[in-house]
Amino acid sequence: MGILSEQLRIISALNPVYNALTSVFDVESEPVGPLAGVTFSVKDNIDVAGAATTHGLKSLADNVKSADAPIVARLRAAGATPIGHANMPTLNARGMHTYSELAGHTINPWDSTKSPGGSSGGDAVAVATGMVHLGIGNDSGGSLRLPAFLNGVCALKPSHGRYPQGSVLGQPDPSFPTQVMTVEGPLARTVADLRLVHDLLCGADPADPRTVPVPAIGPPAPRVAGFVPGDPVVEEAARRLAEAGHEVEAVEVPRLDEAADLSLRMIATPIALGFEQFAAFAGEEVALFSRHLLEVRPGLDLAEFLALTGTRLAIQREWAQLLDRYPVLVGPVSTIPSFEPDQDRRSPEALAEYFDALKLCEASSFVGVPSVAVPTGLRDGLPTGVQVISRRYREDLALDAAAVLETPLSPAVSAG
C-alpha cells in the first residue's frame, strides 16, 4: 500500500485547496499488472463500481453503481487503481468551467482567479497537482483538451469508436448527438503516459458496437504536418516540428466555422426539445447557461437535423482529404489563453466568444478525429499549449508529434 498511501496523503493535503475530487474511494489492496501503483481519478459522470455517479447533483449522492464503466474496467484490469470521482459542471453543462451543485468550484492551480476549464476540470487539476497519475474524463467539444490546456497537462481525445463507453444519465443508451460527439479519454502529465494508457484502452467491445478492432499503431506515414496560422504558440510549434524533420505548411481547415456551429446546434437540439423539463430537473444555474446556449446556438428542427446528417458526412470527407495530405494538423486548443470562472454566465455574447475560441475543438469532435492536447511552455505565468489532430484511428501519429512539442509543466502547489 506504499504508493497508494502516499497518493492518499497528497490528496488529503491538496484537495481541500483545489477541490478537484468530490469523493475518495476506499483502497483495499495493492493490485498487480502493468499499471500497478498507478492511481486515476474518474469524472463524476463515469461509473465506478461501489461509488455514486452524481453528475454533480446533490440529488444523486446515493446513485451507487454496481459495475465499472468499460474504460474504468480496462484500467483496473491493467492494475491501475481508481482513487476518486472528480468534480465536473452540474450535468456536464457549463463546459468551460468546473462548478457543480454538489461540490462547488474547482480551483486552477496556476492562478486561482482563472477557470480550470471544463468539463473534465476536476480530473485535469488532480493530474496537474499530483493528486493522481491519470484522469479519465470525456470530451464532445473540448472537455478534455481545454482543462488540459489551462492546467498544463496532456489529454487525448480519441477517435469516435476507439474506446468502449458506458451509458449516460437517464438513458440506457445515449441519443444520436451524444453517440457521435462524446468520447471518453485520458489526461496525464506526459505524452508517454497517454500512449501507455491508449494502448491498453483500444479494442472492440460487444457491449459498445461503436468500437472498432483497429490496432493502436498504424503503418508509417509521411512526416508532413499542417498548421493553422495566426496564433504565435501554434506557429512556434510548427517551427519545432520542422526542426524535427517534418515538412510543415500552413493550411486552411475545411468548413471550420460550419462544423463548429453545427456541432453545438446538434448538442443543443435535445435540450431545446425538452427545455422545460430539463430546466426543472437541472436547476436555475444550469438553466441560465442553457438559455444562453440556445440563444447563440439554437436547436435544429427535423428538416435541419436530417440535412445535418448529410452535411456531416461531407465535412468528414473534406477533413479526411486534408489529413490524407497532412497526417498531423497542429492548431490551438483555445484562441483565448484563459477564462474567468463566470465568463460563460455573463451574457449570450460572452458564451459565444468562448465557443468561437474553441471552434477547432468543436469541429474535430464533430468530424470524429483524434486529438492530443500538449503543453508547450508558459506565457505570463500561465500554461500555453496546442492540439495535434490526426487521421481517424491514428492517435499514434498525433502522439508522436505531440511528443516532439511537449514541455512538461508543474504548478507550485500549496497544502491546505
Side-chain angles (χ1 to χ4, degrees):
M1 293 289 289
I3 295 176
L4 298 182
S5 296
E6 175 62 13
Q7 289 303 127
L8 290 169
R9 184 195 67 78
I10 294 171
I11 290 170
S12 178
L14 297 183
N15 200 51
V17 178
Y18 300 105
N19 198 31
L21 302 179
T22 60
S23 63
V24 179
F25 306 146
D26 292 332
V27 179
E28 297 178 357
S29 63
E30 192 85 39
V32 296
L35 294 185
V38 172
T39 59
F40 65 99
S41 61
V42 183
K43 189 175 179 180
D44 208 355
N45 62 358
I46 300 174
D47 293 349
V48 177
T53 305
T54 72
H55 299 264
L57 285 169
K58 294 179 180 178
S59 61
L60 293 179
D62 296 324
N63 185 34
V64 177
K65 298 299 181 176
S66 60
D68 290 331
I71 193 170
V72 175
R74 287 190 174 182
L75 287 176
R76 199 195 291 268
T81 301
I83 207 164
H85 266 312
N87 200 20
M88 56 174 277
T90 307
L91 287 176
N92 219 26
R94 292 194 63 191
M96 69 156 286
H97 179 62
T98 297
Y99 166 84
S100 70
E101 168 196 293
L102 178 71
H105 294 273
T106 294
I107 305 302
N108 185 319
W110 293 92
D111 184 338
S112 61
T113 69
K114 303 296 184 182
S115 174
S119 58
S120 304
D123 292 285
V125 172
V127 171
T129 56
M131 284 188 259
V132 297
H133 299 104
L134 305 167
I136 295 298
N138 37 44
D139 189 315
S140 59
S143 290
L144 286 163
R145 290 163 286 172
L146 177 64
F149 167 71
L150 295 177
N151 292 283
V153 299
C154 305
L156 169 57
K157 183 202 83 69
S159 307
H160 175 257
R162 182 50 119 164
Y163 307 154
Q165 295 182 212
S167 61
V168 295
L169 177 65
Q171 300 170 282
D173 290 299
S175 64
F176 180 78
T178 302
Q179 284 182 39
V180 300
M181 291 284 291
T182 303
V183 294
E184 293 166 357
L187 300 107
R189 291 172 215 161
T190 67
V191 173
D193 286 345
L194 288 183
R195 192 189 305 273
L196 175 62
V197 174
H198 171 66
D199 291 349
L200 293 168
L201 293 177
C202 288
D205 185 332
D208 184 354
R210 295 168 291 180
T211 52
V212 292
V214 178
I217 299 175
R223 289 169 63 82
V224 179
F227 73 95
V228 180
D231 184 317
V233 174
V234 172
E235 293 182 353
E236 170 62 17
R239 184 188 64 78
R240 289 165 63 182
L241 283 178
E243 291 177 348
H246 287 73
E247 177 187 338
V248 178
E249 297 178 15
V251 301
E252 182 178 349
V253 178
R255 303 170 75 168
L256 176 60
D257 291 341
E258 182 183 10
D261 180 72
L262 287 174
S263 73
L264 291 165
R265 294 193 66 192
M266 183 165 65
I267 290 171
T269 299
I271 297 173
L273 289 172
F275 181 78
E276 295 305 324
Q277 299 94 316
F278 174 77
F281 176 71
E284 183 53 33
E285 178 80 18
V286 174
L288 175 62
F289 171 86
S290 301
R291 291 188 190 98
H292 290 170
L293 167 66
L294 294 174
E295 183 168 336
V296 298
R297 298 293 188 272
L300 301 161
D301 63 26
L302 178 58
E304 290 172 325
F305 199 94
L306 290 174
L308 172 145
T309 59
T311 301
R312 179 171 178 266
L313 180 60
I315 294 174
Q316 287 178 310
R317 182 181 299 111
E318 293 187 36
W319 275 60
Q321 291 166 346
L322 175 72
L323 293 170
D324 185 58
R325 171 71 179 88
Y326 304 95
V328 293
L329 171 66
V330 181
V333 174
S334 169
T335 56
I336 296 175
S338 65
F339 298 92
E340 306 302 319
D342 67 342
Q343 183 166 330
D344 59 331
R345 299 183 69 254
R346 293 175 184 171
S347 67
E349 293 75 20
L351 182 59
E353 182 182 1
Y354 159 70
F355 288 151
D356 288 343
L358 266 73
K359 66 175 62 175
L360 188 60
C361 286
E362 296 149 7
S364 54
S365 288
F366 186 70
V367 173
V369 292
S371 174
V372 174
V374 59
T376 58
L378 293 173
R379 178 175 55 194
D380 299 327
L382 296 175
T384 62
V386 298
Q387 62 176 314
V388 183
I389 296 167
S390 191
R391 303 166 177 175
R392 201 163 188 177
Y393 310 124
R394 292 309 306 268
E395 290 85 358
D396 57 314
L397 298 179
L399 289 164
D400 289 344
V404 173
L405 303 175
E406 179 178 18
T407 301
L409 301 176
S410 181
V413 297
S414 59

